[in-house]
Amino acid sequence: MTYTIAFAGKGGTGKTTLAALIVRALDDLAAGSVLAVDADPNSTLHEALGVEVERSVGEITEDMLMSSGLTQPGGMSKETWVEYNIQRYIVETPSFDLLSMGRPEGAGCYCYANNLVRGCIDSLSRSYAYVVMDNEAGLEHLSRRTTRDVDLLLIVSDPSVRGIRTAGRLSQLADELAIRVDSRFIVVNRAEDPLEPVLQDTAGQTGLEFLGTVPSDAGVTRCDLACAGLFDLPEESPALVAARALLLAAVPSLRPRAPQASAIES
Ligand SMILES: Nc1ncnc2c1ncn2[C@@H]1O[C@H](COP(=O)(O)OP(=O)(O)OP(=O)(O)O)[C@@H](O)[C@H]1O
Ligand SMILES: [Mg+2]
């Protein structure tokens, strides 16, 4: 069973950073295979993960729509062709795979293309233990881009009353969408631990459970300035330590990684 983690939150709160930190934390915990999905048309997850994307799903779809007829070159059905190309352009690393959705399809009704792509991505996702989905601010597109249920929705906020109230509204919006969200929490990024009592109270008023904070981390800033991915962060980097703790608190089936034999002996 694939466990899907999705991020929401207003612009610039740290969704992409936290998505990348969670991918890294899953790898650190040896949790299982991970598919990272960049569902933000203004794609940046690959940068946060330190990899390059050759072709996005949006570009592959455009290619398909440009060609007329029922089949693609080589006599493949359009469905097989899209599936083949999505597999071909997936970024593979030893720690995770990445699929970048890219820009949504251009003007016009592309329901057929959208459904085809959705079907391909849903069946692809099923072969991973975890799917980590970074999103643009807002939530409306989530139901357009995937039919998958979300096991864990992390709504990211800055440490402000207004930010946390916005997170609460986003959570209400999730209820209006036709996607099932199993559990959802608010995560306050660039915040001190413990969180200011007034912010804890505000989180309580939204009806959302507060999962924890991620501190402002000079290592994350350094990675950003060096155009390096967050896999370059040292293991004890404060934001990464926090991401691992959040993950363990939110996903009941996860366990801390057992110490390596050599570490016990030394
Ligand atoms: N905990 C942190 N410590 C230091 N810098 C951070 C932290 N979290 C986020 N940042 C920085 O803040 C900036 C915005 O973060 P990010 O791109 O993750 O936000 P976002 O919510 O994905 O934005 P958008 O809505 O535009 O997609 C980035 O430059 C990132 O490096
Ligand atoms: Mg982002």
Side-chain angles (χ1 to χ4, degrees):
M1 279 286 279
T2 307
Y3 190 93
T4 303
I5 305 173
F7 289 82
K10 73 181 167 88
T13 45
K15 298 176 290 298
T16 303
T17 304
L18 292 198
L21 287 171
I22 290 293
V23 170
R24 167 79 192 267
L26 284 166
D27 185 48
D28 290 352
L29 295 167
S33 56
V34 178
L35 175 66
V37 177
D38 191 347
D40 185 346
N42 177 28
S43 315
T44 56
L45 184 60
H46 64 285
E47 289 166 356
L49 290 170
V51 295
E52 282 185 23
V53 175
E54 207 181 319
R55 209 147 182 74
S56 71
V57 172
E59 287 166 324
I60 295 169
T61 314
E62 281 295 329
D63 291 347
M64 181 195 73
L65 291 165
M66 298 283 276
S67 70
S68 53
L70 288 172
T71 55
Q72 294 295 121
M76 274 190 220
S77 73
K78 286 193 186 282
E79 194 170 1
T80 312
W81 188 87
V82 165
E83 214 171 87
Y84 167 78
N85 278 283
I86 288 178
Q87 292 273 8
R88 177 176 166 196
Y89 288 109
I90 227 172
V91 180
E92 291 177 344
T93 80
S95 303
F96 61 88
D97 289 356
L98 169 69
L99 194 62
S100 185
M101 301 299 291
R103 304 221 142 262
E105 313 63 40
C109 177
Y110 292 150
C111 300
Y112 161 75
N114 285 339
N115 287 339
L116 206 154
V117 166
R118 256 201 317 226
C120 284
I121 290 169
D122 284 352
S123 66
L124 179 75
S125 304
R126 278 193 276 278
S127 56
Y128 292 85
Y130 291 87
V131 170
V132 178
M133 199 189 293
D134 181 28
N135 294 298
E136 62 190 296
L139 271 178
E140 296 84 347
H141 58 283
L142 243 188
S143 54
R144 260 189 277 131
R145 281 297 177 98
T146 178
T147 53
R148 289 204 64 79
D149 293 336
V150 174
D151 295 286
L152 174 64
L153 179 65
L154 295 179
I155 307 181
V156 187
S157 173
D158 53 24
S160 74
V161 168
R162 267 195 297 254
I164 290 175
R165 285 186 181 150
T166 305
R169 280 192 291 272
L170 280 173
S171 176
Q172 286 167 4
L173 190 61
D175 293 330
E176 293 162 22
L177 298 172
I179 39 168
R180 183 185 63 81
V181 178
D182 199 42
S183 59
R184 69 183 84 171
F185 297 96
I186 186 162
V187 172
V188 184
N189 186 28
R190 310 188 90 155
E192 305 276 327
D193 184 40
L195 193 63
E196 289 273 347
V198 62
L199 297 181
Q200 295 215 30
D201 291 346
T202 310
Q205 286 156 14
T206 64
L208 269 176
E209 201 174 330
F210 165 63
L211 185 63
T213 57
V214 174
S216 205
D217 186 334
V220 173
T221 310
R222 270 196 298 277
C223 283
D224 184 66
L225 294 176
C227 297
L230 297 179
F231 270 73
D232 285 359
L233 278 177
E235 218 173 294
E236 65 285 1
S237 172
L240 186 56
V241 170
R244 279 197 297 264
L246 294 180
L247 199 52
L248 289 168
V251 186
S253 57
L254 274 177
R255 294 275 169 278
R257 195 174 188 170
Q260 303 286 306
S262 56
I264 297 170
E265 282 156 18
S266 61

